[in-house]
Amino acid sequence: MFDLIIRNANLPDGREGFDIGIAGGKIAAIEKSIAATAGETVDATGRLVSPPFCDPHFHMDATLSLGMPRMNVSGTLLEGIALWGELRPLLTKEALIERALRYCDLAVTQGLLYIRSHVDTSDPQLVTAEALLEVKEKVAPYIELQLVAFPQDGYYRAPDGVASLERALDMGVGIVGGIPHFERTMEDGARSVEALCRIAADRGLPVDMHCDETDDPMSRHIETLAAQTVRFGLKGRVAGSHLTSMHSMDNYYVSKLIPLMAEAEINVIPNPLINIMLQGRHDTYPKRRGMTRVRELMAAGLNVSFGHDCVMDPWYSMGSGDMLEVAHMAIHVAQMAGIEDKRKIFDAITVNSAKTMGLEGYGLGIGCKADLVVLQAADVTEALRLKPNRLFVIKAGKVIARTAPRVGELFLAGRPASVEMARDYVPQVQQR
Ligand code: FE2
C-alpha cells in the first residue's frame, strides 16, 4: 500500500511509462506497472517526472526589489552594486521577509524546491541575515533554503566586512561567501580567499564564493581558491560562482587551471542569464558572451550547476524563478544543443545542483525523498525547449502545487479546436 502512486511517468534518464510508488514521504518503488493501490494517484500520462529543480546561486534579499529606489540605468554589475548600496539602508526586516516569501511561492509553482541564497553581510545591522534566517525556517516545510554569508561590498574593502561576516555565521548562516575580485587589489582578493577558506575549515562549513565575476582575463582568484581548497582540506565542499573571467583567459593558462580546479573538486556555478546580461559591457564589437567554459569544465569532470542569481533586482530586471529558463539560456550561450548536451544541461539544474548543495536523499531512486515534479513535456529535451507548465509539484509525497496544462484554443474553420505545444492529453489526479 502506497500513500501516492504516480502512474505512467517518463524519467529524465529516458525510461518511459514507469509507475512511482511513494510511502512515508519516500520513493518506495519504481516499476513498469505497480499493482497495488494508493490513497492518491497522479496520472502523469507519459509526461516527464523529475526530481525538483535546485538553484545553487540566488540573492533572496534583493529579489523582487526592481525599481527600488530607482532603475539601473547603465545595466552594469557595478551600477547594480551601487544601487543595492542605496537600497540597503532602506531595507526593513518585514519587507525583506515579504518579498522572499513571495519569491518562494513562485519557486514552488515552478518546481524549484531547493535554493541556496547569498545574504549580504556588508551592513553591520545584518537585517538581511535576520530576515532570511526567519524565511529559512518559515519555508522549511516546502523549500530547503541554504544561506551564504556574502560580503557584497568586499570582505576587506567594506569597513565592517570582516566582523559582519563572522557575526552572520554566528547567527546561523551556514556557508562562507566571498567576492575576491571586488577587493581593492589582487593581493587583497587573494588574502580574502585564504582567510575565508580558513574560517570555513575552522568552523567545518562549505564555501561558496562569487569569484572572478569580471571580463578581466587577469582575474585569477579561482586559482587561489583551488589551491586554498586543497590546503585546508575542503575538497568537494567549495563552489566557485560565476568564474566569468575564464571566458576571456588565455587558452594555455586555462589548460593548466582546469586540472587544478578538478584536483580541488571545485563545484562550478555559472549564472547564464546574468552572465550574458552583465558581461561584455565594456566591449564594442565583437562582444564577449562572458559565461565560463561550461563544455570544457564538464568534459574535465568538474561538477557544473547553473544558478538563477537574480530575479527583478538591481542587477536583472527579468527572471521568473524558472530553472528551465536558466538552462534554456545556458544551451544557447554554451552552444550545447546536442541530445547528450541537453541531458548534461538538465543535470546541471537538478542532480549536479543537488551535489553542489550537498543535498541528501535527493533523486529518483528507491529511498530518496519523494520530492518530484510532473512537467507538461514528454522528456528532458522537450522540457528544455518548451519551459512547460509544472502540472504537479510534490513534496514528501504530497501535492503542494498544481498548474493547468498550457493549451491554446483555436477558432479556425477546418482546424482542431485546440493545440498544445507538447501533447494534447491532460494528466489527472484522482482522490480516493
Ligand atoms: Fe550572485
Side-chain angles (χ1 to χ4, degrees):
M1 179 65 184
F2 297 100
D3 302 322
L4 172 73
I5 295 177
I6 303 171
R7 296 213 181 265
N8 196 11
N10 293 350
L11 309 181
D13 62 9
R15 282 180 288 167
E16 290 190 353
F18 276 74
D19 292 353
I20 303 170
I22 293 161
K26 301 223 161 117
I27 297 174
I30 303 177
E31 293 167 18
K32 201 65 189 166
S33 185
I34 295 175
T37 55
E40 193 177 11
T41 303
V42 169
D43 186 355
T45 61
R47 313 291 183 124
L48 176 65
V49 177
S50 165
F53 300 112
C54 311
D55 180 359
H57 187 114
F58 194 63
H59 294 264
M60 207 172 275
D61 48 6
T63 195
L64 306 182
S65 68
L66 184 67
M68 296 160 55
R70 62 178 178 83
M71 297 294 282
N72 182 338
V73 179
S74 68
T76 59
L77 171 67
L78 294 181
E79 185 176 343
I81 293 174
L83 179 48
W84 173 241
E86 291 171 36
L87 173 56
R88 206 163 36 210
L90 311 174
L91 295 174
T92 65
K93 188 174 152 191
E94 292 68 32
L96 277 160
I97 291 174
E98 195 267 334
R99 281 193 282 107
L101 289 178
R102 258 197 296 148
Y103 182 77
C104 288
D105 287 350
L106 181 66
V108 168
T109 64
Q110 306 275 29
L112 170 54
L113 301 186
Y114 294 91
I115 302 175
R116 175 181 283 184
S117 173
H118 293 256
V119 186
D120 184 5
T121 57
S122 308
D123 186 331
Q125 303 295 322
L126 289 173
V127 183
T128 45
E130 247 183 67
L132 289 195
L133 281 163
E134 208 169 307
V135 169
K136 180 184 161 91
E137 230 169 273
K138 277 183 199 285
V139 302
Y142 49 95
I143 286 180
E144 182 173 325
L145 177 60
Q146 299 182 348
L147 299 176
V148 186
F150 172 50
Q152 170 76 77
D153 290 356
Y155 180 63
Y156 289 128
R157 187 169 167 181
D160 299 298
V162 173
S164 287
L165 184 131
E166 292 261 12
R167 232 159 3 93
L169 298 176
D170 291 341
M171 286 166 69
V173 174
I175 302 168
V176 181
I179 187 164
H181 56 277
F182 194 69
E183 303 294 347
R184 286 196 178 82
T185 62
M186 289 290 178
E187 289 74 18
D188 280 359
R191 276 202 305 126
S192 78
V193 171
E194 181 183 355
L196 292 160
C197 285
R198 187 187 301 277
I199 290 171
D202 288 348
R203 291 179 177 250
L205 299 177
V207 174
D208 189 335
M209 270 185 212
H210 284 64
C211 194
D212 302 325
E213 189 185 3
T214 161
D215 290 319
D216 176 6
M218 297 313 291
S219 187
R220 296 175 168 188
H221 296 295
I222 180 57
E223 179 187 81
T224 309
L225 183 59
Q228 298 296 351
T229 297
V230 174
R231 175 185 171 200
F232 285 107
L234 295 168
K235 275 188 186 186
R237 285 162 49 201
V238 174
S241 282
H242 290 294
L243 305 179
T244 54
S245 72
M246 285 184 73
H247 183 96
S248 301
M249 282 174 184
D250 170 72
N251 288 334
Y252 182 82
Y253 173 68
V254 172
S255 76
K256 179 198 169 199
L257 176 64
I258 290 182
L260 291 175
M261 293 167 67
E263 180 198 5
E265 297 170 31
I266 298 287
N267 295 291
V268 176
I269 310 178
N271 295 284
L273 296 167
I274 307 313
N275 299 156
I276 197 72
M277 183 61 93
L278 296 183
Q279 299 306 307
R281 288 281 177 150
H282 294 256
D283 295 351
T284 54
Y285 290 94
K287 210 181 258 293
R288 284 168 288 182
R289 291 161 190 240
M291 192 168 75
T292 195
R293 305 187 185 206
V294 171
R295 186 190 289 281
E296 293 74 12
L297 288 160
M298 284 181 169
L302 280 120
N303 184 49
V304 178
S305 51
F306 296 122
H308 201 319
D309 203 1
C310 305
V311 170
M312 298 183 75
D313 67 12
W315 296 273
Y316 190 58
S317 62
M318 309 278 286
S320 62
D322 183 1
M323 293 308 292
L324 285 170
E325 193 173 307
V326 173
H328 191 269
M329 180 58 79
I331 287 170
H332 290 81
V333 181
Q335 300 177 327
M336 288 179 66
I339 291 170
E340 267 316 300
D341 289 342
K342 284 183 184 146
R343 277 198 204 287
K344 288 178 190 162
I345 296 278
F346 194 81
D347 283 350
I349 53 169
T350 52
V351 288
N352 296 7
S353 311
K355 187 176 175 195
T356 299
M357 295 173 72
L359 302 181
E360 283 174 13
Y362 175 93
L364 258 182
I366 307 297
C368 289
K369 289 180 188 168
D371 299 347
L372 297 160
V373 185
V374 183
L375 294 111
Q376 192 189 359
D379 53 32
V380 162
T381 302
E382 200 168 66
L384 289 165
R385 181 172 65 86
L386 297 175
K387 293 162 272 162
N389 286 3
R390 318 304 125 101
L391 303 174
F392 298 96
V393 180
I394 294 160
K395 175 76 183 177
K398 297 213 162 47
V399 175
I400 58 166
R402 186 176 177 178
T403 301
R406 199 165 61 200
V407 179
E409 283 186 78
L410 272 184
F411 304 98
L412 297 170
R415 306 301 310 149
S418 66
V419 62
E420 186 186 359
M421 287 187 76
R423 285 189 273 168
D424 63 352
Y425 37 63
V426 179
Q428 298 293 326
V429 61
Q430 295 150 9
Q431 299 283 351
R432 271 171 196 257

